[in-house]
Amino acid sequence: MSALRIPRRTLVLLLAASGTLALLQLSGLAFWQGLAINFAIFIILVQALNMASGFTGVFSLGHIGFMAIGAYTSAILTLPLATKSEYLPNLPGWLAGIHLDVAVGPLPVGFFAATLVAGLVAMVVAGLVGAVLMRLSGHFVAVATLGFLVIVRVVLFNADDITRGSRTFSNVTPYTNLWWAWGWAVIAIYVAWRVKFSGLGRAMFAQKADRWAARSIGISILRPRLIAFVAGAFLSAIAGSLYAHFITSFSPTVFYFDLTFRVITMLVVGGMGSVSGAVIGTALVLALAEALRRIEGATLLYGLGGILLAVFFIAVIIFRPSGIMGQREVDLDRVLGWRPRWRRGRPDAEPSRRG
Amino acid sequence: MTESAVTDPTTALLDVEGLTKRYSGLVALSEYELRLAPHSIHGVIGPNGAGKTTLFNLLSGMVQPTAGSIRFGGVDITAHAAHDVARAGIARTFQNIRLFGDMTAIDNVKVAVQQRLPISLAMTLISSPSYRRNEADVTEHARPILDRMGLGAMADRQASSLPYGDQRRLEIARAVATNPRILLLDEPNAGMNPTETAELLDLIRRLRDELGLTVILVAHDIPLVMGLCDRIQVLNHGELIADGPPTTVRNDPDVITAYLGRASDA
């Protein structure tokens, strides 16, 4: 038996998604392609925050900081040598010589490697930061992680030699396409799903529910929290790398409160702790934001979108504080009409007899 | 699963000396002493605010003492963190039930069982053979524990949706699932009717006999401890005022004044 048994419903979903992507790719509809890539990047960000905050109850406001680290790391690593010496002349020697712009045939393996390195760098930073911050709870940890976000921004602004400071960082090769973005989004969903329905996930949710009780059965609070924080940082950095190579020019101002609250809105709307909810919340908020943007354009009432989105968020908090899904999951079998029964337990506990 | 009996019954399983906890001026517990015999059921009684829960918080490492020492099986665990105390083999329940409410009954037990197994993120993500073996192991161990508590049929129910008595028993199941040597029960019969209480007494005896557990029980229900315990300590205002077999303690004049006094007035 292979180590990775893929249930039939998952396989069907993956095939359907691949087919949709292929059609979208062939259609040449640039607007929809861009939206689909945005959707994928947001899914990764929301799943990252879902693990770090939704699973553990530790409210992190700092994950966009890891996205920034990922974006800059990957962008610097993939710059071709010629561009690099001209564009970032004061880079430290060891960094100036690296150019992960290599490709094997049509496959930009350099981009893949740079994305992984970006993720690892964020993981190391998260390990150091988290070892201190994950001991805090409640408001304290929210404020402390917000502090981390501010620190990242200040460093990016002032590390001129490496990041060009407040000037726009451009000339990034546009590697990100539908396949890269969705490939990573699928991985992010898989990671969150696996963790949620594992012993690790149980420990995370247990200490979220009651720290005293968790300690009383031998759970060291720090460990599951730190693992979630670090894994979330990795995924955020991946999203950062994809974003950098999608948008191709950016500055530190992008990675701040706006984006932080956009991602939090998506997670809260979907349901903190629900993997499928995170995808639903992302889709909903993204669609709403896009619709509002068009209304703004038509009515010339600029700023209206932001206000309405905030009102929507407040309404969700008041009327459905645990989001659309709470901590539950969509039952794929039921959605696909295979087994008309709402199952609340652990969907992956046993291989489906039909799968 | 059953722990073999400790060979030398004269050695105390838990040896507590001069245990004291002060909260800026208030002495919650003062100079508490205990030499706990293996396989005994030990009762701690006292009026509200006597320091019973403080004692449990100290013994389980949830709160650090101001002075004194706790030795468990010969090892000094005074400064251990709560999760290390639990892993060493002291499990507890809480006076106000503290379950993982959103999780199913079986998951409440599984998360306790799994603490004796190594868990890594990498193994989880690739779903390695060792990871799957561990998960199967955890399930295999958790089921019988629920069954033993009479909660087998409730396995997939959300913990917070269970009836009160079941929640109490689930909390004991979760504590037992850590495979402890000492079980601390904080007012286990609080809110239970006489029938449920009688069942609970039976359950506690069976846990002692079948799993070889040593039990420390906090209660203010005197008949409960009198019938169940091998030895009883009485706390009042954080001080130990009596210590001995139930018959002795029952007739102790200090205890009658401090604790039972009101009953004789009535």
Side-chain angles (χ1 to χ4, degrees), chain A residues 75 86 97 112-113 154 199 214 296 335:
Chain A
E86 188 187 317
F112 182 65
V154 170
E296 273 183 354
V335 172

Side-chain angles (χ1 to χ4, degrees), chain A residues 127-190:
Chain A
L128 295 172
V129 173
V132 181
L133 296 194
M134 291 303 107
R135 293 167 198 275
L136 307 173
S137 291
H139 308 307
F140 301 103
V141 77
V143 172
T145 48
L146 192 64
F148 169 74
L149 180 66
V150 174
I151 290 170
V152 169
R153 179 181 154 100
V154 170
V155 170
L156 290 177
F157 265 130
N158 290 286
D160 274 76
D161 291 352
I162 299 173
T163 64
R164 293 177 50 84
S166 57
R167 286 172 296 164
T168 302
F169 193 110
S170 48
N171 289 342
V172 185
T173 323
Y175 286 122
T176 301
N177 58 22
L178 281 172
W179 302 101
W180 282 115
W182 278 95
W184 279 110
V186 167
I187 290 174
I189 294 168
Y190 170 81

Side-chain angles (χ1 to χ4, degrees), chain B residues 46-52 95 187 220 235-237 259 262:
Chain B
N48 280 329
K52 305 185 298 284
Q95 186 176 346
E187 308 229 1
H220 50 212
L235 282 175
N236 192 27
H237 300 302
Y259 192 81
R262 249 188 309 152

